[in-house]
Amino acid sequence: MTRPDTSAQFDAVVAECRDMFVKKLDDYGAAWRIMRPSSVTDQIFIKAKRIRSIETKGVALVDEGIRPELIGIINYAVIGLIQLELGCADTDDMGKKRAVEMYDHYIAEAKSLMTAKNHDYDEAWREMRPQSYTDLILMKICRTKQIEDHCGHTLVSEGIDANYFDMINYSVFGLIKMSGNQ
């Protein structure tokens, strides 16, 4: 049996996320520019906790499932990377074109990282349970909060950006698994 093309699957999932990002830019502009990175992390935390709650309880009372939350995690992680680079602003100071360019830049970095790790780990993610992605995302959020609480300083660990990239990639894996094309 031939393995699916992970690169193509990544691109398909990210295209859906990018489409949502662009539509939200049309609706709200880059209002997220006012968020400090720690607030972005908390927004991702809310989404991951909701996923875990749905997985644990087996039901969602709000008419949105896990898929939109994973898309949100990806998009907010990209926003977090943008905010780390630029810092927060007092206003919506970014046009749609620049926001999409930055989105594409960080998604390309996430894909490059995924490709390298996927090679080294021999696509182990394909044999993982979807709930493990949720737990790993929550762990990455806890790590990110610790680093934020230490003003971004680490002794031996990767920084906040590395955790955001991992959140993107675990969410992509979750969305690929949900599609059933794995």
Side-chain angles (χ1 to χ4, degrees), residues 44-60:
I44 296 168
F45 173 72
I46 291 167
K47 294 186 170 306
K49 284 291 283 188
R50 183 164 186 274
I51 292 168
R52 189 170 183 163
S53 173
I54 293 168
E55 289 171 346
T56 302
K57 296 173 186 170
V59 66

Side-chain angles (χ1 to χ4, degrees), residues 4-12 111 114-115 118 123 126 176:
D5 181 357
T6 303
S7 178
Q9 289 177 310
F10 182 101
D11 292 344
K111 183 177 181 182
M114 181 277 302
T115 301
N118 212 26
E123 297 205 332
R126 291 190 183 277
I176 291 170

Side-chain angles (χ1 to χ4, degrees), residues 10 14 40-41 44 70 73-85 102-115 117 133 136-137 140-141 144 147 158-173:
F10 182 101
V14 166
V40 176
T41 301
I44 296 168
L70 288 170
I73 289 171
I74 291 167
N75 288 345
Y76 272 107
V78 172
I79 287 168
L81 291 163
I82 293 169
Q83 296 300 81
L84 284 175
E85 179 182 335
M102 292 191 82
Y103 184 94
D104 291 343
H105 167 77
Y106 283 114
I107 286 296
E109 279 194 41
K111 183 177 181 182
S112 178
L113 177 65
M114 181 277 302
T115 301
K117 286 186 174 185
Y133 305 136
L136 289 165
I137 291 165
K140 295 292 181 178
I141 292 165
T144 301
I147 297 168
E158 296 175 309
I160 294 169
D161 58 338
N163 287 289
Y164 281 147
F165 282 119
D166 285 344
M167 290 178 219
I168 290 168
N169 287 328
Y170 286 128
S171 296
V172 167
F173 294 156

Side-chain angles (χ1 to χ4, degrees), residues 50 54 59-65 69:
R50 183 164 186 274
I54 293 168
V59 66
L61 297 183
V62 176
D63 192 25
E64 291 180 352
E69 301 297 355

Side-chain angles (χ1 to χ4, degrees), residues 20-58:
M20 181 61 69
F21 184 82
V22 169
K23 286 177 180 173
K24 296 253 182 175
L25 280 172
D26 288 337
D27 287 347
Y28 308 124
W32 45 264
R33 285 287 295 129
I34 67 165
M35 295 177 78
R36 291 171 280 202
S38 59
S39 296
V40 176
T41 301
D42 285 341
Q43 184 64 32
I44 296 168
F45 173 72
I46 291 167
K47 294 186 170 306
K49 284 291 283 188
R50 183 164 186 274
I51 292 168
R52 189 170 183 163
S53 173
I54 293 168
E55 289 171 346
T56 302
K57 296 173 186 170

Side-chain angles (χ1 to χ4, degrees), residues 137-152:
I137 291 165
L138 284 165
M139 179 192 64
K140 295 292 181 178
I141 292 165
C142 287
R143 288 180 178 182
T144 301
K145 287 178 161 191
Q146 288 291 326
I147 297 168
E148 289 169 346
D149 291 347
H150 293 120
C151 301

